[in-house]
Amino acid sequence: MIRGNEETFLCELQEGKVRFMANFQDKVVYQIYPKSFCDTSGDGLGDLPGVTAKLDYLKDLGVDYLWLTPFFPSPQRDNGYDVAGYRAIDPRFGTMEDLETLVREADKRGIGLMLDMVFNHTSTSHEWFQRALAGEKKYQDYYIFKEGSPDQPPTNWVSKFGGPAWEYLPALGKWYLHLFDVSQADLNWENPAVRAELAAILRFWKGKGIKGFRFDVVNLISKPAVFEDDHQGDGRRFYTDGRNVHRYLQELVAAGGIEGMITVGEMSSTSLENCIGYTNPDNHELTMTFSFHHLKVDYKNGDKWALMPPDHMALKNLFTLWQEGMQAGNGWNALFWCNHDQPRAVSRFGDDGGPCWKQSAKMLGTAIHMMRGTPYIYQGEELGMTNAHFASIGQYRDVESLNHYQILQDKGMSPSDALRIVQVHSRDNGRTPMQWDDTKYAGFTSEDSAEPWIGVNGNYVRINAADQLQDEDSIFHYYQKLIALRKEYDVIAYGELKPLDEKNPSVFAYEREYQGEKMMVICNFYGKKVTWDSETELGEYQCVLSNYEVHNIESSRVGLKPYEAVVLYKK
């Protein structure tokens, strides 16, 4: 691969053809959940000026893009993913001027902003839906309405938040589809007017200086031609990666004017084959995708609301499957452990509260940052923030968690057992306030302000940014190194990946190779010592990163301490 003269493109010669691709391979994205990042107004809610105030911290970390979850007008039934207006700023987060300032100041630091677009559904408070309720045929065609009697939903599909996926409106004598909360009505992408509206929204934000977009559950936008009951599951097989989804995305990218920009699609219950299609540059759809199979290895029998220890062998196999598959199909992965919808990785797969908390957080970062794909860091992940461990259901805010807390009890589970499951899997684990320092409210807001909208994790006194910035051995400084290595070594950004010792349950290891450079990554996912025997003589390799000061490498044998990660390099 030849680096071109232009800053944002790479030129690749493949099979006699020259192709241009957005230059995102050596970039790192940082996800911000504004509501929980930094509050400058004192109302207990994070805001856009709070993001601006922390730009120097983010530049110091070394990230290239900031993905901000929705800050558009919203009733906040689903924490902003129920959008009531796509071209405005919810006053609780600030003003359009605040956003323009943030874009300008981020640009000065070489950081681009990515907005989170929720295009599968809108809030029922959105003007479009309200006009549909008022009887306007044009806007009824913006959504999926079906005639029917009050006691017979059009299908037996189940909402992803629990309960039926249809809601009856007596005034209209119709049902509307909501794959998520009842307040989130699915848009009708079969309607060209809807697709044109959404493309215009992208052009609007691009005009504001936005550099990229993340698309929420975008592989659900294409619904079936015929709606029918699902006698095998909850209905998702009829609308996941639907019949027209690739065509719709190609049209959105072209009409929205976002070809060449960094884009990522959140793909719900997707397939490897489809994700190759979504991200192969020849298809002109997205630059990368989020898939979640690797984050279901602690779902008992595939059920998020049933507990089991993580299956590390399944995790390893899934990483291998997706890395090799996307590589073979010229697709591209978004690499991540955490986001606003997931518990904290160090609590799921590491040593939350144990003696190896720091080492396990560093190992988890190493495992994905050295892979083929674009790494995403979720706010606080670079500090090793943990699950909230709230003691009562009253401390939770997430609609999905509250719904399932009740559903579990309706199935006969005790309140304490239901709470235990919520404590482990609630999305609120990723939504507690960012832990900036050890002052009251963890520095998320001033000490004399209103209480934060959700409780601060009680361990903020020992886990916070202020302390880690002063500690050269901190998780923060380790993440700095991970980001710097991706920019220093082309093999990380552009190299092929080959799994190593695939059947070894104790170690996750792989090799990267690019134009004579080789890198070997070896990770111990367990809190015990293990020995790994390499088929390659390691004498010519140098250790460029480890989460322990002293590492044990002899010839072709590597002795790994609990949760140890070692990155070896040879040119």
Side-chain angles (χ1 to χ4, degrees), residues 57 61 173 183 211 284 286 348 387 446 459 463 505 529 562:
Y57 168 88
L61 182 59
S183 67
K211 303 298 191 299
H284 304 281
L286 304 173
R348 296 177 80 172
N387 281 358
S446 61
N459 61 19
I463 301 177
K529 293 181 180 180

Side-chain angles (χ1 to χ4, degrees), residues 4-17:
N5 293 326
E6 292 191 33
E7 181 180 349
T8 58
F9 289 92
L10 291 175
C11 175
E12 182 185 59
L13 184 64
Q14 185 178 34
E15 297 178 347
K17 297 178 182 178

Side-chain angles (χ1 to χ4, degrees), residues 164-222:
W166 297 91
E167 180 71 6
Y168 187 71
L169 297 173
L172 296 179
K174 296 180 179 181
W175 296 82
Y176 69 87
L177 179 67
H178 62 92
L179 295 182
F180 294 87
D181 187 64
V182 67
S183 67
Q184 294 167 295
D186 279 56
L187 286 164
N188 176 21
W189 277 70
E190 297 289 314
N191 183 348
V194 168
R195 303 199 300 272
E197 289 262 23
L198 300 178
I201 290 164
L202 295 182
R203 295 195 300 271
F204 172 82
W205 289 113
K206 183 181 177 182
K208 291 287 185 182
I210 298 304
K211 303 298 191 299
F213 295 96
R214 181 261 192 189
F215 295 100
D216 185 61
V217 293
V218 74
N219 66 320
L220 309 185
I221 58 176
S222 177

Side-chain angles (χ1 to χ4, degrees), residues 31 33 67 69-70 78 80-81 114-121 160-161 179-180 184 189 213-222 236 239-242 245 249 252 262-271 274-275 278-279 285-296 299 304 322 326 332-336 338-342 376 400 427 431:
Q31 184 194 351
Y33 193 67
W67 154 30
T69 56
D78 188 24
Y81 283 87
M114 298 172 63
L115 295 196
D116 201 331
M117 310 313 296
V118 189
F119 282 174
N120 177 70
H121 48 262
K160 290 178 180 289
F161 287 172
L179 295 182
F180 294 87
Q184 294 167 295
W189 277 70
F213 295 96
R214 181 261 192 189
F215 295 100
D216 185 61
V217 293
V218 74
N219 66 320
L220 309 185
I221 58 176
S222 177
R236 71 183 64 196
Y239 57 75
T240 301
D241 300 314
V245 65
L249 282 175
L252 183 70
I262 185 171
T263 54
V264 59
E266 180 195 28
M267 302 299 171
S268 174
S269 302
T270 191
S271 69
N274 274 292
C275 283
Y278 293 131
T279 62
E285 297 182 34
L286 304 173
T287 47
M288 64 194 81
T289 54
F290 290 117
S291 59
F292 297 89
H293 301 73
H294 67 292
L295 294 179
K296 298 179 180 180
Y299 291 7
K304 175 177 178 176
W322 279 78
M326 292 289 267
W332 196 256
N333 285 301
L335 308 169
F336 73 107
C338 303
N339 64 30
H340 62 288
D341 282 337
Q342 297 292 331
Y376 283 67
E400 181 193 38
R427 300 190 300 179
R431 299 175 179 181

